[in-house]
Amino acid sequence: MIRNVSVRDMRWPTSLGAHGSDAMHTDPDYSCAYVVIYTMNGAEGHGLTFTLGRGTEIVVQAVHTLSSLVIGKDAADIFNNFGSFWRKLTSETQLRWIGPEKGVMHLATAALVNALWDLWARVQHKPLWKLIADMEPEQLVNCIDFRYITDVITPQEAIKILKERQPNREKMEREVLTKGYPAYTTQVGWLGYSNETVTQLCHKYLSEGFTAFKLKVGQDLSDDKRRCKLVRQIIGDDKLLMVDANQNWDVQEAIAWMKELAPFKPLWIEEPTSPDDVLGHLAISKALAPLGIGVATGEMCCNRVLFKQFLQSGAMQFCQIDSARIGGVNEILAVYLMAYKLGVKVCPHAGGVGLCEMVQHLQLFDYICLSQSSEGRFIEYVDQQHEHFVHPVVVRNSHYMTPKAPGYSTELEREAAEGYEWPIGSEWQKLFASGKFVDPRHATTLPPTKH
């Protein structure tokens, strides 16, 4: 029985080092709404949804509002019919009006749902990927709400696909336990980094075995050319280069800009325009295909319906699910199934607080149960905030090592939770005292929190 749900506003001052900076988000403070579900018998589930600082308090309030739909429920009843429960959570008759299935309410839903999955995996004494991979197809499909997507895939089709892939599951699991799953790094490419920092990081990650690197672009074309040239010269022509505009362009601007960057042979352009513009992404995909440049998007896709349209239309060549943007594991499973059926590779978005920790589990499910291949697929890797988790990601020789601890890898260390809770954490008190940030409790207006 679930007796209580707590949620905390957690923030880290990453803007001080320009970590995470891109054309649209110039000064992010990596943050999350951190949820803990407590049960009567002492079991806990930890979950989160990623944010960039200001506004996290709104997501926290949304979690509080949704918590009444979880407290008092028997967790076993939820897990036995998880798809139905997920629909109830996202279809509460009044709260749905301020979604539906998008925005702050869906971010809050993801935090709660992720905590429930962590709880389930802990109770079963399995890492989340193993919990899902061990499910019979009917049980897994029972976790998914297929409303609005049956024109692409039905529950019956999903069961058939999973059963067809079942004979190879044990083999794929043995392989990934041995070699891990390939990663690419964005750590070299934040827009606010100096030439010296970019150069140093490129050499660092090359020495660690990385063969794929991503750069942020989109503010200044001449500077983008300079930075692409710098990175390409360091990593060589035999390595992969991706670029990411973080939604900064109009459609025709994106096409023209990428034609200028084409000589640097990027594998993809990520989020070239509005994340909701399916037809715009389709136009960009068609224009760039002759240049060998694909379109990647999905980290800001708000739900499975938008993913359905991107996948159906051919507007994305690389599908980038995010573990906290849509409604948690249940909805992400639906996207994986649609992507598999329609032949689109999934390369998860990661890098923010806890995202690397979570998406490794999701991509392992795909490797073991669906695609059963890592060819042309990667998990994004950014070396940020991992030290604050009880079970952080382990990356060796540019591969995510398969997690073995029970759960979803989402539990924060107690010291981190106490140090970085906004605005009362001990680390924030030091930053307020130094004058690097403004304590919002003492501010008379609402300026940016950073000087």
Side-chain angles (χ1 to χ4, degrees):
M1 187 71 70
I2 296 170
R3 64 175 178 84
N4 193 25
V5 175
S6 74
V7 56
R8 302 166 83 171
D9 182 339
M10 305 297 307
R11 307 189 193 185
W12 283 263
T14 52
S15 60
L16 295 178
H19 307 307
S21 55
D22 60 52
M24 187 65 74
H25 314 96
T26 56
D27 62 343
D29 287 318
Y30 275 10
S31 308
C32 69
Y34 178 55
V35 170
V36 183
I37 290 175
Y38 300 93
T39 65
M40 296 294 283
N41 67 358
E44 297 179 3
H46 298 250
L48 57 88
T49 199
F50 174 61
T51 53
L52 292 186
R54 292 184 291 277
T56 308
E57 70 276 12
I58 303 172
V59 183
V60 167
Q61 182 56 55
V63 173
H64 282 304
T65 303
L66 285 168
S67 293
S68 63
L69 302 175
V70 177
I71 296 171
K73 297 293 188 297
D74 189 315
D77 291 340
I78 292 174
F79 303 146
N80 286 336
N81 205 356
F82 213 157
S84 175
F85 176 81
W86 188 92
R87 182 181 289 199
K88 289 177 182 177
L89 193 63
T90 57
S91 299
E92 202 281 334
T93 58
Q94 295 183 5
L95 293 176
R96 185 173 173 83
W97 186 261
I98 55 173
E101 298 181 32
K102 63 173 72 75
V104 169
M105 294 310 300
H106 224 38
L107 290 169
T109 296
L112 275 169
V113 169
N114 288 336
L116 285 168
W117 278 93
D118 181 64
L119 172 63
W120 193 3
R122 286 166 178 257
V123 169
Q124 295 296 318
H125 307 290
K126 296 179 179 181
L128 182 80
W129 67 265
K130 179 66 171 168
L131 172 71
I132 303 173
D134 284 350
M135 287 181 180
E136 289 299 319
E138 292 84 357
Q139 184 186 16
L140 190 149
V141 168
N142 190 47
C143 295
I144 301 170
D145 182 1
F146 282 83
R147 180 166 58 179
Y148 308 137
I149 63 171
T150 54
D151 52 328
V152 169
I153 192 165
T154 65
Q156 294 74 26
E157 287 178 295
I159 290 170
K160 182 174 181 290
I161 288 170
L162 290 165
K163 284 187 173 180
E164 289 172 350
R165 312 302 284 168
Q166 251 182 332
N168 287 330
R169 280 191 186 186
E170 290 186 9
K171 173 178 177 288
M172 306 314 298
E173 184 175 327
R174 287 195 303 270
E175 288 184 2
V176 82
L177 281 167
T178 301
K179 65 182 182 181
Y181 198 94
Y184 74 85
T185 183
T186 308
Q187 192 66 45
V188 304
W190 301 120
L191 208 56
Y193 280 0
S194 66
N195 287 352
E196 293 74 19
T197 298
V198 172
T199 300
Q200 182 263 322
L201 289 172
C202 282
H203 287 296
K204 174 182 185 290
Y205 285 100
L206 281 170
S207 71
E208 294 178 7
F210 279 84
T211 60
F213 301 78
K214 190 167 78 181
L215 273 178
K216 300 293 183 173
V217 298
Q219 280 190 340
D220 181 275
L221 179 57
S222 61
D223 192 54
D224 286 349
K225 287 181 176 180
R226 179 190 59 77
R227 293 168 68 250
C228 284
K229 181 179 179 181
L230 171 65
V231 172
R232 181 54 85 187
Q233 286 177 337
I234 296 171
I235 67 174
D237 291 333
D238 60 328
K239 305 295 190 300
L240 294 177
L241 177 66
M242 301 89 144
V243 293
D244 182 357
N246 289 95
Q247 318 148 39
N248 207 41
W249 300 322
D250 283 346
V251 172
Q252 293 304 318
E253 184 182 16
I255 293 169
W257 203 296
M258 287 310 300
K259 286 181 178 178
E260 293 290 326
L261 297 184
F264 303 104
K265 299 181 180 178
L267 175 67
W268 73 51
I269 172 58
E270 185 172 330
E271 288 198 310
T273 191
S274 165
D276 299 334
D277 189 354
V278 178
L279 297 181
H281 279 81
L282 179 59
I284 295 167
S285 294
K286 289 179 177 179
L288 298 183
L291 301 174
I293 303 171
V295 169
T297 193
E299 70 177 85
M300 289 286 184
C301 280
C302 54
N303 53 48
R304 66 202 179 284
V305 179
L306 194 56
F307 270 108
K308 179 185 76 169
Q309 294 173 59
F310 273 102
L311 292 164
Q312 275 181 312
S313 64
M316 61 164 59
Q317 287 72 60
F318 299 92
C319 176
Q320 295 180 309
I321 56 97
D322 180 283
S323 58
R325 171 61 53 181
I326 63 177
V329 177
N330 310 63
E331 193 168 26
I332 289 168
L333 293 174
V335 176
Y336 270 108
L337 285 161
M338 288 190 291
Y340 175 78
K341 181 181 176 182
L342 296 173
V344 179
K345 295 175 180 178
V346 178
C347 298
H349 166 249
V353 178
L355 298 187
C356 293
E357 278 70 20
M358 289 188 283
V359 296
Q360 61 181 338
H361 291 269
L362 304 172
Q363 197 72 351
L364 288 171
F365 153 74
D366 178 67
Y367 183 79
I368 295 167
C369 300
L370 278 178
S371 69
Q372 299 186 340
S373 170
S374 60
E375 184 178 354
R377 295 171 171 84
F378 315 86
I379 303 173
E380 184 173 17
Y381 177 68
V382 175
D383 193 7
Q384 297 283 164
Q385 279 69 53
H386 303 305
E387 69 275 15
H388 301 302
F389 286 87
V390 174
H391 299 291
V393 294
V394 176
V395 174
R396 296 192 191 120
N397 194 30
S398 74
H399 282 67
Y400 277 80
M401 295 293 100
T402 303
K404 297 178 181 177
Y408 201 3
S409 306
T410 38
E411 182 180 1
L412 283 171
E413 293 278 7
R414 178 176 294 183
E415 294 80 5
E418 292 174 352
Y420 290 96
E421 183 173 1
W422 175 267
I424 62 175
S426 58
E427 295 299 321
W428 283 111
Q429 299 313 303
K430 297 175 187 176
L431 288 163
F432 296 152
S434 71
K436 293 179 180 177
F437 284 80
V438 174
D439 188 336
R441 297 167 298 180
H442 302 152
T444 56
T445 60
L446 294 175
T449 53
K450 185 166 71 78
H451 282 303

